[in-house]
Amino acid sequence: MSAKDTFNQLKDKELLSDEELLAFFDSLPAVSIEQALGRWKGGDFNTGHWGNSALKEMKWFGKWYRSKLDAVPLVCYDEHGRLFSSKAMKGEASLWEVGFRGKSSTTMIYDGVPVFDHLRKVDDQTLLGVMDGKSFDGFPDIVDNGKYYFFYLEHVDSFPAEYVEG
């Protein structure tokens, strides 16, 4: 079975365990920063992590990796149906190659908080991510009682709505 087939099976499940998703994540190859650049529509896997509901409330669309040092982690819809960069995590982000779970791959590091989105490649159009990081004031634990937040990104050529700056 291909990685994409496994991804699709996992995506169809209503509730998943961290162990199941980590086993899949660990099986995937690294993704380079160059391969990660572009616009991405996001989604997530329900493991019971608080991030599932938080991103729905934010009307999260996905991410935009414009360059290594210019990453928009929270592309969200506003009240007018336009897309914008939410600064809910105290800024934007950059991309670095970081080791996680025995493999070095592209990781998005938030500018204003100690949070890391580790990425692996499902295929040329799909990435799997695991959010990791330290706790910080005013925010729930990133790794919630030992549970990670798992998300995926699917490449899009353009946004489905107007993107407005600042």
Side-chain angles (χ1 to χ4, degrees):
M1 181 181 317
S2 74
K4 185 64 175 198
D5 291 337
T6 302
F7 168 80
N8 287 332
Q9 284 183 347
L10 292 169
K11 197 171 146 183
D12 288 342
K13 288 190 174 184
E14 212 166 296
L15 186 64
L16 293 152
S17 70
D18 274 34
E19 294 76 23
E20 192 172 15
L21 287 165
L22 285 171
F24 180 53
F25 181 84
D26 290 345
S27 75
L28 297 173
V31 60
S32 71
I33 290 171
E34 293 75 26
Q35 291 170 320
L37 296 178
R39 293 173 179 88
W40 299 89
K41 179 176 178 12
D44 59 14
F45 297 94
N46 184 11
T47 61
H49 192 281
W50 60 264
N52 299 103
S53 60
L55 287 175
K56 282 182 182 70
E57 288 175 25
M58 292 177 66
K59 299 180 190 166
W60 181 58
F61 169 80
K63 299 181 183 288
W64 187 5
Y65 302 140
R66 297 189 257 206
S67 71
K68 178 181 177 180
L69 299 177
D70 185 7
V72 182
L74 297 170
V75 176
C76 298
Y77 285 99
D78 69 12
E79 64 276 1
H80 304 291
R82 300 173 303 189
L83 294 169
F84 73 104
S85 174
S86 170
K87 306 289 193 307
M89 296 289 274
K90 302 181 182 177
E92 292 187 339
S94 56
L95 301 174
W96 298 89
E97 192 169 306
V98 174
F100 179 69
R101 298 187 57 83
K103 201 175 286 181
S104 191
S105 187
T106 295
T107 296
M108 188 192 73
I109 300 174
Y110 288 82
D111 292 341
V113 293
V115 177
F116 310 91
D117 287 351
H118 303 283
L119 302 172
R120 299 276 175 86
K121 182 178 176 180
V122 175
D123 64 18
D124 289 339
Q125 300 296 311
T126 313
L127 304 177
L128 178 63
V130 177
M131 183 183 277
D132 188 21
K134 289 173 47 176
S135 299
F136 57 94
D137 288 340
F139 220 75
D141 289 345
I142 298 302
V143 181
D144 186 19
N145 291 315
K147 296 179 73 62
Y148 291 103
Y149 174 69
F150 294 87
F151 64 94
Y152 59 87
L153 301 171
E154 296 174 307
H155 186 264
V156 294
D157 291 326
S158 60
F159 288 134
E162 177 187 8
Y163 183 87
V164 293
E165 293 288 341

